[in-house]
Amino acid sequence: MKKKQGWLSMLLSAAFLLSACSQGNNESVTPNAGNSNDGTTSAAGSSEGGGSLAPAKLKIVLYGDESNRMKELAKTEFNKIIKQEINAEVEFQFLPWTEYGGGKTDLMLSTGEDFATYTDSNYMVKSVAKGLYTDLTPYLDAAADLSSNVDEASFSAFQLDGKQYAIPVGNKPNSAEFYSVLVRQDLLEEAGMTRVTSLAELEQFYDKVHALHPELIGYANTDARRMLQYDYTDKNLYWQNDFIALDESAKDDQIISWFESEEFKRYADLMHGWYEKGIIPKYAATNVPQLQSDWNSGKAMFWAGTAARPFEGAATISQAVPDAKLVNYFLGEGRPKISRGTYSSAFFVSTAAKDPERYVMFFNLLQKNQELYDLFAYGVEGTDYTLDENGRLTKLTTDSLIPDWLLMNKNFMRFDNTVPDDVIADYKAWDDGAIISKGAGFNFDNTPVKNEETKLNGVFTEYLAPIGSGFSKYDEAFPKALERLKAAGIDKYIAEYQKQFSEWYAKQQQ
């Protein structure tokens, strides 16, 4: 795919010119462009502090449980630094995760509340179609610090028709997520092995450890399509969603209907073999959440890997197994890691917001510099954490603040003393040599096939997921599943996806 060099700097320049022109003509590009709550024009950026800005009030919605320490910091240190930097007061409102991408979030958008929260690309497409997200393109110059610490591909992932509808936050190695196998290295070495580089070696690892520890389960998940693809296909598959995959090794715009492919058959047969062998425990067919619990308590041998899981997972497992060590391995070599961008998530601003530019200034603070990152992620030094002479972190409180997964940026994040230097080095270098997916930045509008998509999701849950997890034998279960797929409208869905992707792909080649 042709890479457009420097597009973000071009957008920033364009945003600055738009802002300047709108101020010169005493009218804004959009009804609220560059305006503060009292109607006076604000200055973009926060490098000189917030003293020149009129006061503003912002509401940031986060998901999950709000800790007592978060409540306290929101009223004290957070409040102080945000007012100092951008002259704004921020109300942090926490909602249950069940309200993300719908529920109360949808209600707040539809009733015209002034707020910002994070989004994924699918929710963005649906919300923009309803006119619920502010176009943030005119305010990109207010995110200058953030844009230097978050990659361009992350920005493009949240654009529609060249307009920026959400600001990506975070900069963490995201390539090849779940394509590696995360192995209990302590068990591997106990079994007399040093590494795992193939499916045969992985199954040998299971057999040897099972003989030593029959109480342990093998794989702590039911989806290994990424992890095992070296053994069932020569293609370099990268999934857009449960139904659509791309072959990243082919320089074309062809999408793959995953469940109708020969690759799915070969994969399903592998998984059924694992289920029969016991690598995937029998209870998984009725109690998938138990797999996660067993992994966290050190009762599983391996899991799908990511760049961060060797230290994130070890921190959890070590509470039950102090000597546990986790290492990522790829089952095969020679294929490049594929990345969608390094973002964790992205913040949108509701169209009812009085001062969208000030929201962008707040997002900028989250990735501006080490001092602010430390404050929002870890709290106050000496009270919430300490740093040793090497910058290693020791937390003094377990209360979560702004979610650390949301902020994770390899330029700023701290590691504690339990994480070996080689693990940190591997993490920071994880994306070296990775390539951006040819589908990165494409956002499917499901409006023309919304009914079909709903039906297909039902077929996936009832028929296809059990086959893909190995619970049902492909040859026996797939004919009926395919019949249901066709009845639900898979052909119409695939045709619409192909049409939109081909149109988008052609534009990227220009």
Side-chain angles (χ1 to χ4, degrees):
M1 184 172 69
K2 248 174 103 177
K3 182 169 177 59
K4 297 185 177 179
Q5 300 289 342
W7 69 265
L8 181 55
S9 59
M10 292 167 58
L11 270 178
L12 288 168
S13 298
F16 177 79
L17 290 172
L18 283 170
S19 178
C21 289
S22 68
Q23 291 174 20
N25 295 324
N26 198 30
E27 61 183 24
S28 57
V29 177
T30 59
N32 297 311
N35 294 332
S36 59
N37 287 345
D38 65 355
T40 59
T41 302
S42 63
S46 59
S47 59
E48 297 180 0
S52 63
L53 301 172
K57 291 187 177 182
L58 312 177
K59 178 188 288 187
I60 300 296
V61 173
L62 303 172
Y63 298 89
D65 296 325
E66 183 179 19
S67 70
N68 290 330
R69 183 58 175 153
M70 176 64 191
K71 291 178 182 177
E72 182 179 356
L73 285 172
K75 297 177 182 177
T76 54
E77 278 80 0
F78 286 4
N79 178 279
K80 178 181 177 181
I81 197 67
I82 295 169
K83 188 170 184 180
Q84 175 184 313
E85 289 279 332
I86 63 172
N87 200 19
E89 293 182 17
V90 174
E91 173 193 351
F92 293 96
Q93 179 179 349
F94 280 75
L95 295 178
W97 269 109
T98 52
E99 307 303 320
Y100 172 79
K104 189 168 182 179
T105 306
D106 269 355
L107 180 62
M108 293 171 68
L109 284 168
S110 62
T111 56
E113 287 201 38
D114 182 333
F115 75 104
T117 189
Y118 30 96
T119 184
D120 54 59
S121 57
N122 290 331
Y123 188 48
M124 176 187 71
V125 171
K126 297 173 184 177
S127 299
V128 169
K130 298 175 184 177
L132 300 176
Y133 285 11
T134 296
D135 173 13
L136 300 176
T137 311
Y139 317 113
L140 282 173
D141 54 332
D145 301 297
L146 183 149
S147 65
S148 68
N149 288 308
V150 177
D151 72 349
E152 292 186 6
S154 298
F155 278 82
S156 65
F158 295 93
Q159 291 180 359
L160 290 172
D161 298 325
K163 297 179 179 179
Q164 194 76 46
Y165 284 101
I167 302 298
V169 173
N171 178 13
K172 62 181 183 178
N174 276 333
S175 64
E177 282 189 323
F178 316 125
Y179 283 72
S180 63
V181 53
L182 185 67
V183 170
R184 282 277 305 276
Q185 184 72 16
D186 54 303
L187 294 174
L188 187 71
E189 293 173 2
E190 183 184 355
M193 301 176 67
T194 57
R195 55 186 313 206
V196 172
T197 61
S198 67
L199 173 61
E201 288 182 353
L202 183 61
E203 293 185 348
Q204 183 184 22
F205 163 59
Y206 169 78
D207 289 338
K208 289 187 173 184
V209 175
H210 182 66
L212 295 170
H213 301 285
E215 74 280 6
L216 300 183
I217 67 169
Y219 185 43
N221 206 333
T222 60
D223 183 355
R225 57 191 152 138
R226 299 166 177 84
M227 195 171 74
L228 296 181
Q229 69 165 299
Y230 281 93
D231 286 276
Y232 64 77
T233 179
D234 293 328
K235 297 174 181 176
N236 198 14
L237 298 178
Y238 196 77
W239 278 262
Q240 300 294 95
N241 57 36
D242 287 325
F243 299 93
I244 304 291
L246 298 174
D247 179 7
E248 298 289 353
S249 59
K251 297 181 179 179
D252 59 33
D253 64 350
Q254 294 305 300
I255 65 171
I256 296 171
S257 179
W258 167 237
F259 294 112
E260 298 179 277
S261 68
E262 181 62 28
E263 286 81 9
F264 175 67
K265 179 184 185 305
R266 293 197 290 266
Y267 164 68
D269 287 341
L270 279 175
M271 293 300 282
H272 186 64
W274 274 17
Y275 185 63
E276 291 290 294
K277 187 179 177 68
I279 295 176
I280 296 175
K282 294 297 189 288
Y283 69 72
T286 56
N287 189 7
V288 171
Q290 184 61 39
L291 294 171
Q292 179 75 67
S293 298
D294 283 346
W295 172 260
N296 290 340
S297 59
K299 297 177 182 177
M301 302 178 199
F302 62 96
W303 199 24
T306 68
R309 280 186 173 176
F311 56 86
E312 289 180 334
T316 301
I317 293 174
S318 62
Q319 297 177 30
V321 186
D323 296 329
K325 181 181 179 181
L326 305 179
V327 175
N328 276 312
Y329 294 104
F330 285 93
L331 305 184
E333 298 177 357
R335 303 185 197 181
K337 296 177 183 176
I338 308 300
S339 174
R340 58 171 171 77
T342 63
Y343 62 90
S344 298
S345 188
F347 278 92
F348 72 82
V349 178
S350 66
T351 52
K354 298 181 179 66
D355 195 343
E357 183 181 35
R358 203 72 63 93
Y359 277 105
V360 176
M361 290 182 185
F362 170 75
F363 308 151
N364 186 67
L365 297 183
L366 299 177
Q367 305 281 278
K368 181 178 180 180
N369 56 39
Q370 187 70 60
E371 180 182 2
L372 290 175
Y373 184 92
D374 286 346
L375 176 64
F376 292 125
Y378 310 123
V380 178
E381 185 174 3
T383 301
D384 300 292
Y385 69 93
T386 60
L387 297 175
D388 66 15
E389 64 277 8
N390 298 314
R392 293 299 192 98
L393 180 81
T394 298
K395 290 187 177 181
L396 304 178
T397 174
T398 58
D399 279 7
S400 63
L401 306 179
I402 293 178
D404 55 357
W405 67 264
L406 179 66
L407 300 179
M408 284 179 71
N409 189 313
K410 67 179 183 179
N411 298 329
F412 303 127
M413 60 188 293
R414 307 279 191 178
F415 298 86
D416 66 42
N417 285 310
T418 64
V419 184
D421 290 340
D422 62 330
V423 172
I424 296 174
D426 288 345
Y427 175 74
K428 291 187 175 182
W430 180 269
D431 278 347
D432 290 357
I435 63 174
I436 299 297
S437 169
K438 62 183 178 182
F442 171 70
N443 294 303
F444 179 59
D445 179 6
N446 73 340
T447 304
V449 288
K450 189 173 183 179
N451 291 335
E452 286 78 10
E453 187 176 75
T454 299
K455 295 176 184 176
L456 289 170
N457 286 332
V459 175
F460 169 79
T461 301
E462 186 173 357
Y463 294 94
L464 296 168
I467 298 173
S469 299
F471 307 151
S472 303
K473 194 171 182 179
Y474 179 92
D475 290 340
E476 297 173 357
F478 188 71
K480 185 174 183 180
L482 180 60
E483 180 183 322
R484 296 302 176 100
L485 266 181
K486 295 296 185 182
I490 187 65
D491 292 337
K492 182 179 178 181
Y493 179 82
I494 293 296
E496 180 61 32
Y497 201 104
Q498 183 69 71
K499 172 178 174 290
Q500 291 187 32
F501 184 74
S502 293
E503 291 173 352
W504 175 87
Y505 185 84
K507 292 178 181 178
Q508 309 313 302
Q509 311 311 304
Q510 296 174 1

